[in-house]
């Protein structure tokens, strides 16, 4: 009996040997001799142990949290958030617009910019400067003008660098009264002294940039009188130049801020199928660091509202908000021969400016024409601004000649030039990339 149980135990051990363990064969099982060319054994199914292991593995996989694919709205939100965070980071680092545009593109094969930036012409030097360098250049130009005419230079500072126009108006009118009193009552010593700590002087005049240079330029000097208070006192020799004081007052009242003129950056391109493709630099967008944060919130709200029904008034309000985002627009005008004229404009300029721009480029500026917008819509109201017509931040327009006039020209039999554009403009023709 004991021998019988030992054989059963050995047989169970043979069947349940674990992986990596050597199977022991019971002595009672005779070894078979290898057969020549034995037929292949049929493939067996997985053992019970293998099936149990597979089930356990599947159970563990089920317990792991599954990755959730983002919905389309979530993807949009994430992309917008990523872009705006990158823009905000760039602004916080103090990168200038020029440095941002010159930075290598993030994506491989990024298209070249349609225009390198927005540029201005300084009225004092005639130099063409980038938008972000404009104010610095104006300051340097006005500073240099002090060696030529210190009175005019100080008046330029007052009107140009004080942005609150109402404060400038009040301050300038108050100074004009001071000068009037001196001119009308030169014998009165009290009018030739201005107390610097006077409340009116402090609130209306002293707060203006350039004001102290103006007083020095027109003949005032700072003095501490026996009362230990500081005054501006007119120099004695200026009493013989009262007419000059009158002229200075008139200049002060009539002057305007020095404004750099927007450079149109006129370009002409050969016919191209790429005419409708625009790649604009950051200069064209009216977004400061604070506005970028606000824009992030607005974009997020816009994504959430995308699936909501909106009234016409709501849509128009959003469209108006979109239009205010742009300071400038890049406009291309395609001529019937395929040539393309390009220029930069303020987004709030009227369409009449564009008509003049095109007319000045024509060989025969008397030829009547119309400009057609997207879909062939005629831009007949020249008083509308670009952003009111939806022509921001870029637009491709088509020029159409007056049919009756062109028919008369053809009937006359006169030989017409190859292109209606001026030769000096055609000489600068480029290939649109």
């Amino acid at each position: 009996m004991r021998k019988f149980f030992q054989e059963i135990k050995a047989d169970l051990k043979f069947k349940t040997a674990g992986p990596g363990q050597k199977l022991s064969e019971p002595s009672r099982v005779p070894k078979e001799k290898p057969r020549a060319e034995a037929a292949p054994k049929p493939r067996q199914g997985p053992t019970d142990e293998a099936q149990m292991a597979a089930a356990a593995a599947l159970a563990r996989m089920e317990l792991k949290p599954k990755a959730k694919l983002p919905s389309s709205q979530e993807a949009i939100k994430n992309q917008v958030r990523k872009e705006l965070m990158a823009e905000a980071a760039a602004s916080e680092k103090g990168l200038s617009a020029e440095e941002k545009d010159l930075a290598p593109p993030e994506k491989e094969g990024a298209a070249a910019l349609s225009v390198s930036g927005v540029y201005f012409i300084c009225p004092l030097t005639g130099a063409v400067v980038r938008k972000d360098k404009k104010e610095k250049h104006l300051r340097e130009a006005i500073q240099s003008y002090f060696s030529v005419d210190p009175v005019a230079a100080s008046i330029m500072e007052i009107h140009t660098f004080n942005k609150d126009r109402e404060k400038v108006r009040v301050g300038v009118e108050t100074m004009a009264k001071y000068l009037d009193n001196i001119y009308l009552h030169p014998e009165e010593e009290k009018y030739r002294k201005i107390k610097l700590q006077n409340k009116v002087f402090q609130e209306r005049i002293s707060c203006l940039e350039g004001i102290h240079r103006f007083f020095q330029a027109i003949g005032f000097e700072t003095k501490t009188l026996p009362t230990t208070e500081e005054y501006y006192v007119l120099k004695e020799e200026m009493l013989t130049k009262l007419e000059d004081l009158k002229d200075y007052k008139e200049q002060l009242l009539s002057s305007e801020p020095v404004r750099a003129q927007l450079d149109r950056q006129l370009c002409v391109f050969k016919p191209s199928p790429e005419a409708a493709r625009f790649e604009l630099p950051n200069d064209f967008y009216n977004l400061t660091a604070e506005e970028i944060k606000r824009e992030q919130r607005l974009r997020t709200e816009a994504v959430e509202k995308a699936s909501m029904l909106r009234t016409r008034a709501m849509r128009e309000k959003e469209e108006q908000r979109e239009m205010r985002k742009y300071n400038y627009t890049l406009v291309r005008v395609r001529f019937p021969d395929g040539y393309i004229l390009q220029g930069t404009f303020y987004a709030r300029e009227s369409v009449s400016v564009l008509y003049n721009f095109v007319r000045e480029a024509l060989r025969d500026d008397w030829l009547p024409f119309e400009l057609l917008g997207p879909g062939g819509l005629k831009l007949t109201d020249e008083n509308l601004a670009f952003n009111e017509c939806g022509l921001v931040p870029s637009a491709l327009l088509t020029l159409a000649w007056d049919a009756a006039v062109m028919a008369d020209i053809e009937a006359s039999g006169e030989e017409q030039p190859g292109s209606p554009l001026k030769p000096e403009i055609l000489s600068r023709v480029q290939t649109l990339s």
Side-chain angles (χ1 to χ4, degrees):
M1 181 67 70
R2 179 179 296 177
K3 183 178 179 181
F4 175 74
F5 281 113
Q6 286 176 347
E7 289 177 355
I8 293 176
K9 184 176 180 182
D11 188 48
L12 288 172
K13 185 177 181 182
F14 171 78
K15 288 183 178 180
T16 59
Q21 293 180 343
K22 186 177 179 179
L23 298 178
S24 60
E25 298 182 11
S27 58
R28 67 184 183 86
V29 180
K31 294 183 180 180
E32 296 183 1
K33 297 180 181 179
R35 298 176 181 176
E37 298 181 356
K41 295 181 179 180
R43 184 175 179 182
Q44 297 180 351
T47 63
D48 293 341
E49 291 82 357
Q51 292 183 31
M52 292 175 61
L58 286 172
R60 288 194 299 272
M61 291 176 66
E62 289 294 331
L63 291 174
K64 291 182 179 179
K66 295 182 180 179
K68 184 180 178 182
L69 293 176
S71 65
S72 59
Q73 287 198 2
E74 281 297 320
I76 294 172
K77 287 182 181 180
N78 291 337
Q79 182 63 25
V80 169
R81 198 173 291 117
K82 181 180 178 181
E83 291 175 0
L84 291 172
M85 287 178 66
E87 292 174 3
S91 298
E92 289 172 3
K93 288 180 181 178
L95 295 178
S96 68
E98 184 174 11
E99 290 170 330
K100 292 176 189 175
D101 293 339
L102 293 178
E106 292 183 5
K107 297 181 180 180
E108 292 184 4
L113 292 174
S114 302
V115 64
S116 61
V118 176
Y119 291 83
F120 291 83
I121 304 171
C122 175
L124 299 178
T125 64
V128 178
V129 295
R130 182 82 179 244
K131 174 191 170 185
D132 57 328
K133 306 293 183 185
K134 178 182 65 173
E135 183 165 343
K136 179 183 177 183
H137 183 87
L138 280 177
R139 284 186 178 276
E140 292 174 349
I142 292 175
Q143 180 64 36
S144 300
Y145 202 70
F146 269 94
S147 61
V148 179
D149 189 340
V151 174
S154 61
I155 292 175
M156 289 179 194
E157 278 191 321
I158 294 169
H159 283 280
T160 303
F161 300 126
N162 294 289
K163 304 305 181 184
D164 191 326
R165 302 310 303 160
E166 179 61 20
K167 282 187 176 181
V168 172
R169 184 190 66 78
V170 172
V172 163
E173 289 179 355
T174 305
M175 285 187 288
K177 290 179 181 178
Y178 285 145
L179 298 182
D180 260 342
N181 287 334
I182 296 172
Y183 179 77
L184 297 174
H185 310 283
E187 71 285 352
E188 294 285 346
E189 184 181 357
K190 65 178 180 180
Y191 291 125
R192 304 198 297 270
K193 295 186 298 184
I194 303 173
K195 186 178 179 182
L196 299 187
Q197 297 304 316
N198 179 277
K199 183 178 180 181
V200 172
F201 186 86
Q202 285 290 320
E203 292 179 353
R204 299 185 182 181
I205 299 177
S206 187
C207 59
L208 297 177
E209 182 177 349
I211 200 70
H212 298 290
R213 289 197 187 209
F214 174 74
F215 277 109
Q216 294 168 4
I218 65 175
F220 281 86
E221 58 185 347
T222 306
K223 284 189 176 181
T224 302
L225 298 183
T227 57
T228 69
E229 293 178 316
E230 282 193 323
Y231 285 78
Y232 271 137
V233 180
L234 187 68
K235 296 177 182 177
E236 288 291 331
E237 60 265 26
M238 291 304 300
L239 294 176
T240 61
K241 303 177 182 179
L242 293 177
E243 290 300 323
D244 290 347
L245 287 180
K246 184 179 179 181
D247 289 342
Y248 299 152
K249 183 200 77 171
E250 295 300 330
Q251 288 182 45
L252 186 63
L253 290 172
S254 61
S255 291
E256 295 289 335
V258 178
R259 296 288 188 233
Q261 180 184 357
L262 180 64
D263 184 15
R264 299 293 182 201
Q265 299 185 76
L266 184 151
C267 294
V268 61
F269 300 105
K270 295 177 182 178
S272 171
E274 299 293 321
R277 185 180 62 79
F278 292 88
E279 295 291 338
L280 300 176
N282 293 335
D283 289 0
F284 278 73
Y285 300 91
N286 185 25
L287 293 175
T288 62
E290 287 299 318
E291 288 168 333
I292 286 174
K293 296 177 182 177
R294 179 170 59 87
E295 187 66 16
Q296 181 179 12
R297 177 176 55 81
L298 294 177
R299 285 192 192 180
T300 303
E301 292 175 358
V303 171
E304 294 171 350
K305 291 178 181 177
S307 59
M308 296 171 56
L309 293 176
R310 292 172 293 167
T311 65
R312 180 177 178 181
M314 291 171 64
R315 291 195 301 269
E316 289 177 350
K317 184 177 180 181
E318 290 180 8
E319 289 172 1
Q320 290 293 324
R321 187 175 64 195
E322 285 294 308
M323 290 192 303
R324 289 193 294 270
K325 285 167 50 178
Y326 309 109
N327 275 339
Y328 311 95
T329 184
L330 187 67
V331 179
R332 290 173 180 162
V333 177
R334 181 158 48 197
F335 283 73
D337 60 3
Y339 276 81
I340 303 160
L341 189 68
Q342 175 178 288
T344 302
F345 302 86
Y346 286 108
R348 294 173 180 80
E349 283 187 283
S350 65
V351 174
S352 62
V353 174
L354 176 61
Y355 272 87
N356 292 334
F357 173 76
V358 174
R359 193 168 287 111
E360 290 172 0
L362 296 178
R363 185 191 300 263
D364 298 313
D365 58 6
W366 58 269
L367 285 173
F369 64 87
E370 290 180 324
L371 295 177
L372 309 179
L377 181 66
K378 294 182 180 180
L379 300 179
T380 54
D381 191 349
E382 297 184 24
N383 293 320
L384 288 176
F386 287 101
N387 57 5
E388 292 175 325
C389 301
L391 304 179
V392 290
S394 59
L396 173 63
L397 307 179
T398 302
L399 183 142
W401 302 113
D402 185 282
V405 173
M406 297 308 293
D408 290 342
I409 293 175
E410 290 178 6
S412 67
E414 294 183 8
E415 185 177 351
Q416 297 300 312
S419 172
L421 293 169
K422 291 178 178 178
E424 58 268 27
I425 293 179
L426 282 175
S427 65
R428 297 154 48 188
V429 68
Q430 306 173 46
T431 300
L432 190 60
S433 57

